[in-house]
Amino acid sequence: PSTNLSSSIGSSVVANPSQTEVYDVIGTDALDCKDTVSVLVNVIPLPTANIISSSGEICSGDSAAIILDVSGNPDWNINYAVDGSVSQIIASTNPVIIYSSQEGTYTIPFVSDANGCSNVGMGSVYIDVINTPQADFDFTPKNPNMLEPEVSFINNTVFSNSYLWDFGDNSPNSIEYEPTHIYEEDGTYYVALIAENESCRDTAMVNLVINPYFALYIPNVFTPNQDGLNDNFEPKGVGIEEYEIFIFNRWGEQVFTSDDILNSWDGGEAVSGMYTYIINVVDKIGEFHRKTGFVLIE
């Protein structure tokens, strides 16, 4: 056919078919003798690379997935550009996914396939990189205890505009920038701060130890006369893990001992006068305390 030929007559013509075509060439000599030969011109389609993913946002540190629909004979040599800066990848399967953490507008200026054919890709996509919050906080006092159970949190987060605090004690969460919190019991608490902006979040966690406090009250006189008032020598305390008491008379003889703080001394057969005590205590954080003194039986 003469379609897509530069001429239908001549010893050399140019064919520009858009699809595979069979051409018949008829040669005639001076005696009007003719011969015909057929030639197949195989038209290979150009490779294509079309961006089919939509624009989007990613958090800094993450990667965007730029999806390409490609055609042609693999492997493909693909040049992609981000705001004009070109990089190259080799791919063998369709679709092609380009992972990138760079912000900008992505285009495909060049694609070639195994046939040696090349083309310009189509489509573009804009990737916006959002700064990921860097959650961080501190607290004061540094060694809180049950005498100072109120903890103030210091927010050192950047790239964030909303906050969620979990104090680790099953109390309601807080959305304040720098909250304060009062702990009701000693123990170890896992405090978490979730920091967010429009699209991204980060979490910081701290182990916060609320130490128990230790206190021991020791009376200096009691009256074991069975009147129901101050009849026993009863030391009282809080934050006590281990306890033992020894009481001696004026001659150094032991008259009472116990390892239970609830087991108080009723005076027994002791007579009025001054007695010496030694009390050994280990508090809840493992520290040893020794108290010595005198108690008067009236």
Side-chain angles (χ1 to χ4, degrees):
S2 59
T3 307
N4 298 319
L5 287 178
S6 59
S7 174
S8 61
I9 299 174
S11 61
S12 177
V13 298
V14 176
N16 187 26
S18 59
Q19 61 186 15
T20 298
E21 191 72 81
V22 176
Y23 290 93
D24 293 329
V25 181
I26 303 171
T28 304
D29 63 12
L31 300 177
D32 200 28
C33 296
K34 299 180 179 180
D35 190 23
T36 302
V37 66
S38 296
V39 60
L40 173 67
V41 177
N42 189 23
V43 177
I44 302 172
L46 292 176
T48 63
N50 300 325
I51 296 177
I52 60 174
S53 56
S54 58
S55 300
E57 296 177 343
I58 61 171
C59 300
S60 57
D62 294 341
S63 294
I66 315 300
I67 303 175
L68 310 181
D69 180 25
V70 295
S71 69
N73 188 17
D75 291 343
W76 293 278
N77 183 353
I78 300 172
N79 286 2
Y80 69 92
V82 185
D83 291 339
S85 178
V86 178
S87 300
Q88 185 183 63
I89 62 170
I90 304 296
S92 59
T93 59
N94 183 45
V96 175
I97 301 178
I98 300 171
Y99 293 99
S100 176
S101 59
Q102 187 175 350
E103 182 176 273
T105 299
Y106 289 72
T107 57
I108 308 297
F110 175 83
V111 56
S112 65
D113 64 7
N115 294 324
C117 301
S118 63
N119 200 359
V120 177
M122 298 180 62
S124 66
V125 61
Y126 179 73
I127 300 299
D128 188 15
V129 179
I130 306 298
N131 286 323
T132 299
Q134 305 295 313
D136 183 47
F137 67 93
D138 203 351
F139 60 88
T140 185
K142 283 298 186 181
N143 298 295
N145 55 49
M146 291 308 298
L147 288 176
E148 294 181 302
E150 183 175 273
V151 178
S152 298
F153 293 95
I154 304 166
N155 196 335
N156 300 318
T157 303
V158 295
F159 305 130
S160 179
N161 53 26
S162 67
Y163 310 92
L164 181 66
W165 296 85
D166 182 346
F167 301 113
D169 59 353
N170 296 320
S171 62
N173 295 333
S174 173
I175 58 173
E176 296 181 36
Y177 179 71
E178 291 186 327
T180 59
H181 185 68
I182 298 176
Y183 286 88
E184 302 294 335
E185 297 181 359
D186 60 86
T188 300
Y189 298 92
Y190 300 94
V191 181
L193 168 60
I194 301 174
E196 297 183 322
N197 54 29
E198 293 78 6
S199 304
C200 309
R201 67 167 55 185
D202 189 33
T203 301
M205 295 190 67
V206 167
N207 291 347
L208 176 64
V209 178
I210 305 296
N211 292 311
Y213 66 87
F214 163 75
L216 182 65
Y217 167 74
I218 305 172
N220 56 15
V221 62
F222 73 109
T223 56
N225 56 13
Q226 306 303 315
D227 65 354
L229 298 174
N230 198 28
D231 286 330
N232 289 35
F233 178 56
E234 296 182 284
K236 297 182 182 297
V238 292
I240 295 175
E241 192 69 24
E242 298 179 13
Y243 169 90
E244 60 181 2
I245 184 172
F246 305 93
I247 300 177
F248 304 91
N249 61 21
R250 69 184 66 183
W251 297 284
E253 298 170 333
Q254 182 175 297
V255 297
F256 179 78
T257 184
S258 176
D259 60 2
D260 184 356
I261 196 171
L262 299 179
N263 181 20
S264 59
W265 183 40
D266 61 6
E269 299 179 357
V271 297
S272 298
M274 194 70 71
Y275 292 80
T276 303
Y277 63 80
I278 298 175
I279 299 177
N280 296 326
V281 169
V282 177
D283 64 24
K284 286 190 175 181
I285 60 175
E287 292 186 358
F288 176 80
H289 307 269
R290 170 167 286 180
K291 302 292 184 180
T292 60
F294 300 94
V295 58
L296 176 64
I297 295 181
E298 291 185 339

